[in-house]
Amino acid sequence: MADYSDLESGTYATLETDTYFLLEGAQVRQVSLQVIFAGVVLTNVIQARGEVSADTGWPTCSVFVTAKPPTGNEEDDITVVAGAGNNVTRFTGKVRRFRPSGFPKSIEMVCSGTLAYAAEWAPVLTGSTDVAYRFGVSGDFPDGSQGFFPSGGTDQDLVQFALAQVPGITYTSGNIGGTGTTLGLSAPRSFDWKNGATAWSYIQQLDRATLYRTYQARDGTIYRVQMIGHPDNTADFTLGPQDMLQGASGDRNTEQTRNNLRVLGHDYGVGVGPVQGTATATPIPGIPDRWEMFSSDLIEDGNDPLGAAYGLTGLNADTLADQILPDVDKEFVEASIPSWRDDTHGPGMTCLLDALDRLAIGEPMWVARHAWEVGDNGWMATYGLTGGGLQQTNPAPPV
Amino acid sequence: MASFTVASTVAIFGARIDGSRQALGNLQQFTCAVTLWDVSEWMTLQSLATTTYHVHAPLGGNPVVDIVGGAGEGALVIAGLGSTTAILTGLERNSYLPYNRTQGTATFLITGSAI
C-alpha cells in the first residue's frame, strides 16, 4: 500500500489554488468504425469516408486499410457501420477497386452502391441494330429488337423494367414511385430503348421528364421519389453555428434566376414544332425579365405555339412548367456546411440553416448531398444545401 | 492524493502543485506533476490514457471531443484542487527511480468544468 504522507508538502491540499478559465467543458463522444468486407470484419481500417448525393444516384464510399484484406475481391459486398454514438450503417454496396499507395502505405478500397451497375449495363440484343426494346408493341422483330409495354406503361413501370434488366441490382417495386401517368400512347417511339444506351441514362430521361429521382440510400435500398430540389414547409433538422465547423460557406445569387419558363416536349412533325407549355411570373424587383428553357422528348402533351391545348395523353408540358418555375424563379441560395454531427441525414431532407450572422442564410434548405468521414480526426459530416424561394410541400424521402 | 476513474478502473496517484501547469485552448489543458509509489499504479494510469482524439471547435457553442482510440472520458479528482471530467492525453515519467517509485507528469484535457 502506498504511503502518501511524504507528499503532504507540495500537494494541492496545502496550497491555495484558483481557476482562471472561463471554459464550459465539452461534449465527449466515442467514435466507432466497423467495416465488413466479403463477410469478414476488417481489423486494419485506418479511415473511411462516404457520400450520398441526390445528383449522383448511388452512394459512394472509400475505406482505407493498411493492407489488402486476405479475403475478398472486387465486386464483393462491403458494409460500413460508423458514427460517434449514432453508429448506423453508413454504406452498403460493392468494392469496385483497390488503390494502393506506396508511402504512407495504405490501400483505398473504392466502393459504390449497386445502382452504379445501371450506368455500366446497356442492352445489345442479338442481331438488333438501333433499337433494343420497342415501346408500345409486342413480340420479337426481325431486326432482333423486342417489343415491351404494348399497352403503354407508367414512368414507375418503365423504371422498374430498366432496373430489372441490370444484373446485380435488386429493388422492391413498392419503393419505386412515380407520377402514375400512362406514357407512350401518343409518342411511343420516344420511349424506345436504344442499343448501347445504359439503363441509367434511360432512367434519367424518365426522371428528368417527371421530376422524380431514382436513388440508392446508404443501406442499399433503391427508391424513386419526387425530388424537385426544394425545401419542405417543415424542417427536418436545424444546423446552427454550434453545429458548424471551420470551412462553412454559402452563396446567394440571382444570376440563375429565371421568372419565365418554357417547356418543350415531343415534336409530332406537323410543322408547328414540339408541344409546349409556359409559366411566367412577375420578375423579382431589380432582376431582369429572363427565360429558362426545358425540353424532353418524353413529354407528349401540351399546347401549340398559339396556346391551344392538344389534349393528348402522357406528361403535360404546361403542368411541368408550373411545377418547375418555383425552382428557377427565386434567389439561388447554396451552402456547404462541415459539421461534427453524426445524425442519420441524407438527400431530400429539409434543413433549417440558422446562420444569418455568419453565412447570411437563415432559412430552410434542401439537402442535396451528405458526405461523412471518420478516422484520426474523429467524425465529420459535410452537408451540401440548396434553397431560396418559398418552401413547398416536399416531405423528406427515406435516407 | 488524486484519482482518475474511467468506468470501473480507478487510478490513484499523488498530485503535486510544483511542476503542474495549465494552458488555454479550446479546452483547458491541465498538466499535473504526479508521484506513483508502485509500478502497478503507473500501469493502471497508463491503461486509462487516450492516445487518439480530435477536438472539434464549432463556430459557436462548446467543443466536441471525439475519442478515436483509448479509454476516453473519466472522473478526475485532485484533493484540494477540485473535481471534473477529463481525458488523459499524455503521460511521462523518469526512466528509473529506486523502489519502483515514479515521478512524472500526466496531461489531462479537461472536458468538464475548468479546475
Side-chain angles (χ1 to χ4, degrees):
Chain A
M1 189 67 183
D3 178 6
Y4 291 95
S5 58
D6 292 342
L7 296 174
E8 274 190 9
S9 171
T11 61
Y12 286 97
T14 58
L15 296 168
E16 191 172 342
T17 62
D18 205 343
T19 300
Y20 297 94
F21 292 102
L22 299 174
L23 303 170
E24 296 177 4
Q27 176 185 346
V28 180
R29 313 183 298 177
Q30 182 71 47
V31 170
S32 173
L33 171 61
Q34 184 189 55
V35 180
I36 302 171
F37 174 50
V40 178
V41 177
L42 301 185
T43 56
N44 60 345
V45 179
I46 304 169
Q47 179 192 357
R49 61 173 181 242
E51 177 179 324
V52 187
S53 167
D55 291 336
T56 309
W58 51 85
T60 57
C61 178
S62 283
V63 174
F64 295 84
V65 291
T66 55
K68 186 177 181 298
T71 302
N73 287 299
E74 293 93 334
E75 313 307 333
D76 279 338
D77 292 334
I78 186 166
T79 298
V80 178
V81 178
N86 178 34
N87 304 332
V88 299
T89 299
R90 302 290 176 177
F91 176 82
T92 297
K94 304 283 187 181
V95 171
R96 309 305 304 277
R97 300 183 202 175
F98 293 95
R99 296 179 62 192
S101 293
F103 184 83
K105 184 188 171 190
S106 71
I107 291 183
E108 177 184 2
M109 300 167 69
V110 182
C111 319
S112 70
T114 55
L115 188 55
Y117 288 144
E120 300 161 11
W121 184 89
V124 179
L125 300 188
T126 305
S128 64
T129 51
D130 184 33
V131 177
Y133 294 105
R134 293 184 181 277
F135 190 88
V137 292
S138 59
D140 297 337
F141 288 78
D143 68 353
S145 61
Q146 296 176 3
F148 75 136
F149 292 103
S151 305
T154 63
D155 50 322
Q156 54 263 53
D157 290 339
L158 285 164
V159 168
Q160 289 181 50
F161 176 83
L163 290 173
Q165 308 311 308
V166 183
I169 287 184
T170 56
Y171 66 94
T172 302
S173 58
N175 292 333
I176 309 299
T179 64
T181 305
T182 302
L183 308 174
L185 298 179
S186 302
R189 296 286 67 76
S190 299
F191 295 86
D192 286 345
W193 189 347
K194 291 186 167 48
N195 266 332
T198 65
W200 185 241
S201 69
Y202 190 75
I203 290 168
Q204 282 200 301
Q205 285 181 50
L206 289 160
D207 285 357
R208 186 168 176 274
T210 54
L211 306 183
Y212 271 68
R213 292 195 201 205
T214 304
Y215 72 100
Q216 189 167 36
R218 60 191 170 78
D219 64 353
T221 308
I222 296 174
Y223 297 97
R224 185 172 189 262
V225 298
Q226 190 167 34
M227 275 197 203
I228 302 178
H230 223 76
D232 186 38
N233 293 313
T234 305
D236 299 299
F237 65 99
T238 300
L239 289 178
Q242 70 279 6
D243 304 305
M244 295 157 44
L245 301 175
Q246 191 174 5
S249 62
D251 182 87
R252 306 188 76 100
N253 78 81
T254 53
E255 296 165 17
Q256 305 168 72
T257 304
R258 302 289 184 269
N259 60 298
N260 305 303
L261 177 73
R262 174 153 295 161
V263 174
L264 302 177
H266 183 71
D267 187 344
Y268 288 94
V270 293
V272 294
V275 299
Q276 57 182 269
T278 301
T280 60
T282 305
I284 299 171
I287 310 298
D289 194 0
R290 294 183 292 211
W291 283 84
E292 174 81 4
M293 297 291 282
F294 179 92
S295 65
S296 168
D297 199 40
L298 307 188
I299 300 167
E300 299 172 276
D301 188 27
N303 304 329
D304 68 17
L306 299 177
Y310 280 101
L312 301 172
T313 59
L315 301 170
N316 182 281
D318 242 8
T319 305
L320 283 169
D322 289 339
Q323 289 179 302
I324 297 170
L325 185 63
D327 212 33
V328 293
D329 184 25
K330 65 177 186 179
E331 180 187 22
F332 281 73
V333 183
E334 296 178 356
S336 177
I337 308 294
S339 173
W340 51 268
R341 286 179 56 170
D342 71 336
D343 306 65
T344 311
H345 290 157
M349 300 182 81
T350 293
C351 163
L352 173 59
L353 185 55
D354 188 10
L356 201 57
D357 60 336
R358 289 182 178 272
L359 296 177
I361 300 173
E363 61 194 70
M365 304 280 282
W366 190 75
V367 179
R369 171 178 173 265
H370 182 254
W372 54 269
E373 61 179 84
V374 58
D376 283 355
N377 290 329
W379 170 275
M380 192 176 82
T382 302
Y383 294 82
L385 306 171
T386 68
L390 298 175
Q391 291 82 55
Q392 300 174 3
T393 302
N394 195 17
V399 295
Chain B
M1 266 182 70
S3 67
F4 183 58
T5 306
V6 178
S8 59
T9 304
V10 183
I12 304 289
F13 52 93
R16 296 179 61 85
I17 198 166
D18 50 333
S20 296
R21 57 196 179 276
Q22 50 189 338
L24 180 66
N26 291 310
L27 292 166
Q28 180 190 14
Q29 184 172 289
F30 176 69
T31 300
C32 180
V34 298
T35 302
L36 300 164
W37 261 251
D38 192 87
V39 172
S40 65
E41 293 177 350
W42 166 266
M43 298 303 286
T44 301
L45 192 56
Q46 182 180 290
S47 74
L48 300 183
T50 296
T51 51
T52 311
Y53 66 98
H54 182 79
V55 180
H56 295 296
L59 303 184
N62 293 346
V64 177
V65 181
D66 280 353
I67 307 297
V68 180
E73 187 179 41
L76 176 64
V77 179
I78 297 175
L81 181 62
S83 60
T84 186
T85 53
I87 60 175
L88 175 60
T89 59
L91 204 51
E92 62 178 353
R93 54 168 283 192
N94 310 78
S95 59
Y96 175 76
L97 276 178
Y99 311 115
N100 290 327
R101 294 181 180 179
T102 287
Q103 288 185 331
T105 59
T107 302
F108 295 92
L109 193 66
I110 305 299
T111 54
S113 302
I115 59 173

